[in-house]
Amino acid sequence: MSNPFKSLDEKKLSWFHFKSLITTGMGVFTDGYDLSSIGIVLLSVLSSFGINSKNPNYTLYVSLISGAALMGAAVGAIIFGILSNKGRKTFYGVDVAILTIGALLQAFVNSPEELIIARLILGIGIGADYVLSPVIMTEHSNVKDRGKILALGFGLMWGFGATTAAIIYLTLSYLGLNSMLIWKIVLAAGAIPAASVIYLRRKIPETARFLGRIKGDVKGFKEVISEVTGSSININSNLKDEKSSFYYFKKYWKYFSAAALIWFLYDIVVYSGILFGPSLIASKLGLNSGTFQLVNEALFVIPGGLIALALIDKAGRKPLQIYGYIGMAVFLLGFAIYEHLTGSSHGFSPLLALLLYGGYNLANQAGPGSISGTGIFAVELAPTKVRGTVQSIAVASGRIGATLTSFVFPALFVKYGQFFAVSFLSTTAILAAIITLVLVPETKAKPLEEITKEVEEMNILSKEFGGIIKE
């Protein structure tokens, strides 16, 4: 028997893939914009509401404003992970509609509490998108380019969004607008890219894998195969997976747990930089938050993403992830040691400090940022029937890690100093590298159904029912 998804797996990159990449990737562009922009304008937001370091609730406000979207994302991931089992496309577009509403609400807030609520709503849309977009793109992708498609759509697009946030902030600052107007425009502008793909997301076809393996819709399955590949396929048996979700969780719980744990650790490390790098670290380098963000994205993050694009389907996911985490740990520790030894003395070089911090960003995007940060392990290791659920657990796990960072890192930074806080992050990165090495299998150049052993089940069905496919 031939794998019923063989034509999808072997389809060369086409206009359909590129259109889908833009449709799905623009949500991640928006996520990158929304989650990084708050770090750029955080000090301005606090100042506008009269909150300074002397305020007894200063650290709490920093944490809640920075982490509200992340908390909302954990909730949104779980909700839409469950809904994804009703159809990948069914709720696609709703996620970016929620993103649009949440972003716009930020322009009309009059208190930090209102901003926190607006960002909670925004976060629900982010969590939904982090579940739906990677699952849909993965199930539509071919084998040869699946890693590149995910790394570009959910790695580099995030960086492009973050870069855009910095450019808008610097442009508005150059125009001389008052600080409150600047941060409100910067935050609300995230509605534009989200709203731009609502229509396109409603028009994207349901995935053949959902139709065949979950819904058991043979007619719909054949129609999507024809639309995506341009070829027809004859099926004489139902492809529906009759196994329970519990069966897969019992069988693959180690892989699912590893995917969730790695994302949890990844977000602890990376969101400390996203949320606090521009505001807390940049101040020590003598740079404003927008310039700091733009320099890091242009010189380090985007080049790192290009390295990932070149190697992810050749070298594989595991090597990039492991070496990336080690690089992140080394550069973070180097930054912490250098700052600790020089402090604010005459020997402290902001340029060298920036290069060390930039090296961390380069290693991140060349490895974990294009792998863990895109959810590759969760969507590739999970069988179709539980792929949405596993992705939602992994996303929620990551957002919980990021939320923890938004509360813990400021306290570590303020109470124990930068050396201790950054050294903690370096150790966490090493732990994630070890877990990747020990618990995660390589998935490059393998069809999804081969990775998850689903093709073996379909071969058994083929023998029992005289063949599923006639070619």
Side-chain angles (χ1 to χ4, degrees):
M1 184 200 95
S2 296
N3 185 336
F5 303 101
K6 183 178 179 181
S7 57
L8 280 177
D9 292 335
E10 296 182 350
K11 173 68 177 176
K12 292 182 179 180
L13 281 178
S14 64
W15 170 242
F16 172 82
H17 293 116
F18 288 113
K19 184 172 69 173
S20 299
L21 179 63
I22 295 299
T23 303
T24 57
M26 193 55 71
V28 181
F29 177 98
T30 305
D31 300 340
Y33 183 97
D34 289 331
L35 292 177
S36 63
S37 59
I38 191 62
I40 296 173
V41 302
L42 180 59
L43 294 181
S44 297
V45 170
L46 296 172
S47 177
S48 296
F49 294 129
I51 302 169
N52 55 44
S53 58
K54 296 180 180 179
N55 189 309
N57 295 318
Y58 175 78
T59 301
L60 179 61
Y61 275 121
V62 168
S63 298
L64 287 174
I65 293 172
S66 301
L70 301 169
M71 290 185 280
V75 175
I78 295 299
I79 292 172
F80 281 82
I82 295 170
L83 294 176
S84 71
N85 295 320
K86 304 295 183 182
R88 313 304 199 211
K89 177 191 171 179
T90 305
F91 300 96
Y92 207 41
V94 175
D95 52 348
V96 282
I98 296 172
L99 274 170
T100 302
I101 294 169
L104 287 175
L105 285 175
Q106 295 174 107
F108 302 99
V109 300
N110 295 305
S111 68
E113 290 77 17
E114 290 178 2
L115 179 60
I116 291 166
I117 293 171
R119 291 193 65 79
L120 277 169
I121 295 171
L122 178 76
I124 292 173
I126 291 173
D129 183 64
Y130 266 66
V131 172
L132 296 175
S133 286
V135 168
I136 288 173
M137 196 69 254
T138 297
E139 294 186 350
H140 278 317
S141 296
N142 62 23
V143 171
K144 180 182 177 182
D145 303 297
R146 189 174 63 232
K148 288 190 287 291
I149 289 172
L150 289 169
L152 177 57
F154 308 102
L156 268 179
M157 289 294 281
W158 203 104
F160 291 149
T163 302
T164 302
I167 291 172
I168 291 177
Y169 173 79
L170 290 173
T171 301
L172 295 175
S173 298
Y174 177 78
L175 294 175
L177 302 180
N178 72 70
S179 62
M180 178 177 283
L181 185 58
I182 288 175
W183 70 253
K184 285 192 173 187
I185 293 175
V186 168
L187 296 182
I192 298 173
S196 71
V197 292
I198 293 175
Y199 175 78
L200 290 176
R201 289 194 170 194
R202 298 306 305 150
K203 292 297 182 180
I204 198 170
E206 182 57 89
T207 73
R209 288 179 162 92
F210 172 81
L211 292 170
R213 297 293 287 155
I214 296 180
K215 192 174 181 181
D217 180 356
V218 175
K219 180 182 177 182
F221 170 83
K222 292 191 291 186
E223 289 174 351
V224 172
I225 292 288
S226 178
E227 178 179 351
V228 176
T229 69
S231 60
S232 60
I233 187 170
N234 294 318
I235 300 178
N236 59 14
S237 180
N238 197 342
L239 299 175
K240 187 174 182 179
D241 186 352
E242 300 293 349
K243 286 185 169 59
S244 68
S245 297
F246 177 76
Y247 167 83
Y248 287 118
F249 274 93
K250 182 179 180 181
K251 185 175 182 180
Y252 296 120
W253 68 270
K254 289 183 180 179
Y255 291 162
F256 301 164
S257 299
L261 180 57
I262 289 170
W263 207 338
F264 173 79
L265 296 174
Y266 172 75
D267 276 8
I268 285 178
V269 178
V270 78
Y271 274 93
S272 59
I274 292 171
L275 296 175
F276 307 109
S279 55
L280 297 181
I281 298 176
S283 61
K284 287 183 174 284
L285 301 178
L287 299 172
N288 71 52
S289 57
T291 302
F292 179 84
Q293 178 84 1
L294 185 59
V295 168
N296 270 286
E297 293 293 333
L299 296 184
F300 303 107
V301 175
I302 292 177
L306 295 175
I307 292 172
L309 285 179
L311 298 177
I312 192 169
D313 287 313
K314 295 179 180 179
R317 285 58 155 155
K318 280 188 71 169
L320 285 182
Q321 171 113 327
I322 292 169
Y323 289 126
Y325 270 128
I326 292 172
M328 291 168 68
V330 170
F331 280 111
L332 280 171
L333 187 60
F335 182 89
I337 292 173
Y338 177 71
E339 195 277 338
H340 179 71
L341 293 176
T342 59
S344 57
S345 67
H346 181 69
F348 182 79
S349 169
L351 178 59
L352 181 55
L354 177 61
L355 290 174
L356 288 168
Y357 188 73
Y360 147 79
N361 280 295
L362 178 70
N364 170 33
Q365 201 61 44
S370 296
I371 299 170
S372 289
T374 65
I376 283 183
F377 286 134
V379 293
E380 289 189 331
L381 292 173
T384 305
K385 187 161 189 175
V386 296
R387 185 168 288 127
T389 304
V390 173
Q391 177 71 352
S392 72
I393 294 171
V395 172
S397 178
R399 301 308 94 163
I400 291 170
T403 303
L404 182 63
T405 281
S406 71
F407 281 89
V408 173
F409 190 79
L412 291 176
F413 196 100
V414 172
K415 186 172 183 179
Y416 297 106
Q418 186 166 287
F419 177 77
F420 180 87
V422 179
S423 297
F424 166 77
L425 300 178
S426 179
T427 303
T428 304
I430 290 295
L431 178 60
I434 294 171
I435 292 173
T436 302
L437 176 65
V438 174
L439 296 179
V440 178
E442 181 56 70
T443 56
K444 71 166 183 174
K446 294 180 181 179
L448 293 174
E449 288 70 33
E450 180 183 327
I451 297 169
T452 60
K453 304 288 195 298
E454 290 175 87
V455 71
E456 294 178 6
E457 174 195 334
M458 288 185 282
N459 272 304
I460 293 172
L461 284 173
S462 175
K463 293 177 182 178
E464 291 178 353
F465 297 105
I468 292 178
I469 301 172
K470 290 181 180 178
E471 303 225 35

